[in-house]
């Protein structure tokens, strides 16, 4: 339980001060100022030490989100945070629960991650199941390649990033089912029964 002096250190979201988001053994600490975050880190270190727990220093990082209004930026450079005797590194992007979070609050990096993963999954399935029937391939592709679980979180991104993902999906469908690149996409989707990218994205 957080100490009383830290209750109003977090970020005001909808009138509620939120300073800790936790999922299993992953923790996100939020604060609107350097001093506030350092105070929360000190409290975290104190309580984890009391129960003989430690934070993984290699996975513990800090990120300063860029302000939308540049006129309100007070400083661009901050001293490193400390967690006990360890310094916390600043990063511009970090993968949290499978989702890429960047300091400019855009989703382009996460869309690019999905492009990479789609090519990887398609090539793995193609190598292992190329002799299977069309029906089996359809089930495999729908199960392992059409799973954009975090697409609902995408809100700020370059349209070009989404076009790259759409192009990647179209190429992967043709590649996995053994069609040539020059063949009509509409015909491929009709023959395989696969949805178009705009249907599920």
């Amino acid at each position: 339980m957080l100490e009383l002096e830290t209750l109003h250190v977090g970020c005001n979201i909808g009138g509620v001060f939120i300073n800790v988001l936790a999922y299993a053994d992953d923790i996100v600490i939020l604060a609107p100022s350097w001093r506030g975050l350092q105070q929360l880190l000190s409290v975290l270190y104190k309580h984890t030490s009391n129960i003989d727990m430690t934070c993984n220093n290699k996975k513990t990082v800090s990120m300063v989100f860029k302000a939308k209004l540049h006129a309100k930026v007070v400083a661009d450079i901050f001293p490193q945070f400390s967690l006990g005797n360890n310094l916390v590194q600043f990063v511009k992007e970090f993968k949290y629960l499978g989702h890429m979070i960047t300091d400019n609050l855009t989703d382009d990096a996460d869309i690019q991650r999905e492009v990479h993963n789609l090519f990887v999954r398609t090539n793995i399935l193609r190598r292992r199941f190329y002799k299977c029937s069309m029906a089996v391939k359809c089930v495999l592709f729908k199960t392992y390649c059409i799973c954009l679980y975090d697409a609902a979180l995408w809100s700020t991104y370059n349209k070009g990033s989404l076009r790259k993902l759409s192009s990647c999906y179209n190429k992967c469908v043709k590649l996995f089912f053994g069609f040539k690149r020059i063949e009509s996409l509409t015909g491929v989707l009709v023959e395989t029964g696969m949805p178009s990218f705009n249907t599920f994205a």
Side-chain angles (χ1 to χ4, degrees), residues 121-129 140 144-145 176:
R121 289 192 295 263
T122 300
N123 281 314
I124 290 174
L125 291 176
R126 183 169 171 252
R127 286 196 304 269
R128 294 181 180 179
F129 304 101
L140 288 170
Y144 293 102
C145 297
F176 182 63

Side-chain angles (χ1 to χ4, degrees), residues 18-153:
I18 298 175
N19 49 26
V20 176
L21 299 174
Y23 180 83
D25 61 345
D26 288 307
I27 298 175
V28 175
I29 300 176
L30 303 170
S33 67
W34 185 95
R35 182 177 179 277
L37 188 55
Q38 183 57 66
Q39 189 176 353
L40 290 171
L41 287 172
S42 299
V43 171
L44 173 66
Y45 181 75
K46 174 184 175 181
H47 288 288
T48 53
S49 298
N50 288 341
I51 58 175
D52 290 327
M53 286 184 65
T54 58
C55 295
N56 188 331
N57 295 322
K58 293 181 179 179
K59 293 184 178 180
T60 302
V61 298
S62 58
M63 182 182 294
V64 178
F65 294 106
K66 295 179 180 178
K68 291 184 177 180
L69 299 177
H70 296 289
K72 293 189 176 182
V73 175
V74 177
D76 290 325
I77 301 174
F78 301 90
Q80 282 184 274
F81 295 101
S82 61
L83 186 59
N85 297 323
N86 298 303
L87 294 176
V88 180
Q89 299 296 320
F90 283 102
V91 296
K92 292 186 176 296
E93 64 178 40
F94 186 73
K95 184 185 286 188
Y96 181 69
L97 301 179
H99 187 85
M100 292 300 299
I101 299 173
T102 58
D103 63 353
N104 59 5
L105 294 175
T106 63
D107 298 300
D108 295 297
D110 196 59
I111 295 174
Q112 183 57 45
R113 176 197 58 79
E114 198 61 60
V115 169
H116 173 76
N117 287 347
L118 183 53
F119 275 126
V120 170
R121 289 192 295 263
T122 300
N123 281 314
I124 290 174
L125 291 176
R126 183 169 171 252
R127 286 196 304 269
R128 294 181 180 179
F129 304 101
Y130 67 96
K131 290 184 179 180
C132 292
S133 66
M134 178 71 78
V136 171
K137 285 185 175 182
C138 287
V139 173
L140 288 170
F141 194 84
K142 288 179 179 179
T143 302
Y144 293 102
C145 297
I146 305 179
C147 50
L148 305 180
Y149 297 119
D150 58 350
L153 299 174

